[in-house]
Amino acid sequence: MGLAAESQFHVLAVDDSIIDRKLIERLLKTSSYQVTTVDSGSKALEFLGLCENDETNPNTPSVFPNNHQEVEVNLVITDYCMPGMTGYDLLKKIKESSSLKNIPVVIMSSENVPSRINRCLEEGAEEFFLKPVRLSDLSRLKPHMKKTKLKHQKQETEQKFENSEIIQNDQKQTPKSQIQHSETESQSQTQLQAHSTIDQQQQSLQQGNNNKRKNMEQGLSSDTDRTRPRYSGIATVV
Amino acid sequence: MDQLQRKLRDYEAAMFQQGFLDDQFSQLQKLQDDSSPDFVIEVMTMFFDDSEKLLNNISRALEQIPVNFKQIDAYVHQQKGSSASVGAARVKNICATFRSFCEAQNRDG
């Protein structure tokens, strides 16, 4: 499975804006990922459907002549606002598909709308990026892709993997993090303090990236009290 | 040649200072390297082409009676998105104002 792409991760990027497609392609290539870009959710599903055909039925002729047999997608990153099928619709379709639901999905949006963010995370999105996306944001992708690759190999270790990543993920909230809720309840107080100090530090730093994160955290904290960004400094297993 | 380069640098600095460009433009510059030496030019060219199309669409839409503010808002949203992506801060901010006019259905605005 994926012998040709063993050392490389393949990302499918979906965005109706040609500029954003170019940007995300460059960002991903700079981070050493293989990239395929499409301009709509339906094209994305087409591409993914063909991939799955290749994996489950090697006899099906591939419509993509160059890559042929092992076109495995390790992550889908999609814009939220798209005509026709939105990023959310695409996310749902992927998670509803038995063959595709294990593919991690990341949503991007230029608008910081907490309810939208939560909806996407609840539907199974791994991350939510605010646009414009930066190189530093992409470092959050690797853990999700590695996790999926390992899943194919070892089912048992996958559980441990997910748990440690949730702890180590200092920005994102995922539905799975709610499992951690009872354990971290006592820690949440100190982390709240850590959270606000860091927030202040971020405010004094330059705009752009930090502003976006601050928005994210403020947007998220107003909506969900339960989970908090974790700065526990637990060493990453990855 | 040096002089030209210096002028270019000064011009660029002025653009940043006057708020035409923001940090996102610097991000674009960082993405340019030997493997993609014309990246910034390519993106900016796309941006100008795209913006031109959108502006034409917006002008045409404004001439219609009655004005379809929702459609215009959608165009402006696109313009805002692409200008944010390339670091065109002034354009982005103008779009924000534009959109509030759309919401208020204020054609003169």
Side-chain angles (χ1 to χ4, degrees), chain A residues 17-20 22-23 26-27 30 81 110-111 132-135 206, chain B residues 23-24 27-28 31 33 35-36 39 42 46-47 77 82 84-85 99:
Chain A
S17 155
I18 187 171
I19 289 158
D20 288 337
K22 180 140 183 98
L23 188 59
R26 185 85 202 111
L27 284 168
T30 299
C81 285
S110 51
E111 293 173 322
V133 179
R134 301 171 156 226
L135 258 179
Q206 67 180 15
Chain B
D23 187 57
Q24 181 60 19
Q27 292 285 317
L28 288 189
L31 288 173
D33 60 18
S35 66
S36 190
F39 180 68
E42 286 169 11
M46 277 180 179
F47 174 65
H77 172 73
S82 52
S85 292
R99 287 188 86 187

Side-chain angles (χ1 to χ4, degrees), chain A residues 13-149:
Chain A
V14 191
D15 200 317
D16 60 318
S17 155
I18 187 171
I19 289 158
D20 288 337
R21 269 203 309 281
K22 180 140 183 98
L23 188 59
I24 195 73
E25 181 190 48
R26 185 85 202 111
L27 284 168
L28 289 165
K29 284 197 170 149
T30 299
S31 308
S32 307
Y33 298 122
Q34 245 185 310
V35 193
T36 302
T37 58
V38 292
D39 64 5
S40 71
S42 41
K43 293 215 183 114
L45 287 174
E46 235 181 87
F47 185 80
L48 289 167
L50 285 162
C51 284
E52 281 312 304
N53 273 344
D54 288 339
E55 283 184 10
T56 56
N57 186 1
N59 294 323
T60 310
S62 174
V63 176
F64 297 92
N66 45 354
N67 296 15
H68 77 92
Q69 16 140 240
E70 309 285 351
V71 188
E72 186 187 329
V73 173
N74 303 114
L75 184 131
V76 174
I77 181 164
T78 176
D79 186 24
Y80 183 92
C81 285
M82 294 190 293
M85 194 186 296
T86 67
Y88 179 74
D89 299 328
L90 176 60
L91 165 68
K92 270 190 88 174
K93 289 217 146 73
I94 290 174
K95 292 301 167 187
E96 281 164 8
S97 150
S98 52
S99 50
L100 302 176
K101 67 180 176 195
N102 290 323
I103 301 179
V105 181
V106 171
I107 311 270
M108 307 181 277
S109 177
S110 51
E111 293 173 322
N112 186 356
V113 181
S115 54
R116 176 188 292 185
I117 297 169
N118 280 328
R119 229 172 84 215
C120 290
L121 294 175
E122 275 164 25
E123 194 60 38
E126 306 290 338
E127 299 269 355
F128 191 100
F129 289 164
L130 278 181
K131 283 174 156 183
V133 179
R134 301 171 156 226
L135 258 179
S136 47
D137 296 325
L138 295 195
S139 59
R140 283 145 68 184
L141 292 183
K142 221 179 209 150
H144 300 296
M145 289 192 265
K146 280 191 171 174
K147 186 171 62 173
T148 318
K149 279 231 161 178

Side-chain angles (χ1 to χ4, degrees), chain A residues 26 78 131 137 148-149 158 163-164 182 189 200 214:
Chain A
R26 185 85 202 111
T78 176
K131 283 174 156 183
D137 296 325
T148 318
K149 279 231 161 178
E158 193 230 318
N163 287 340
S164 55
S182 50
Q189 284 305 322
Q200 286 163 14
K214 184 164 78 77

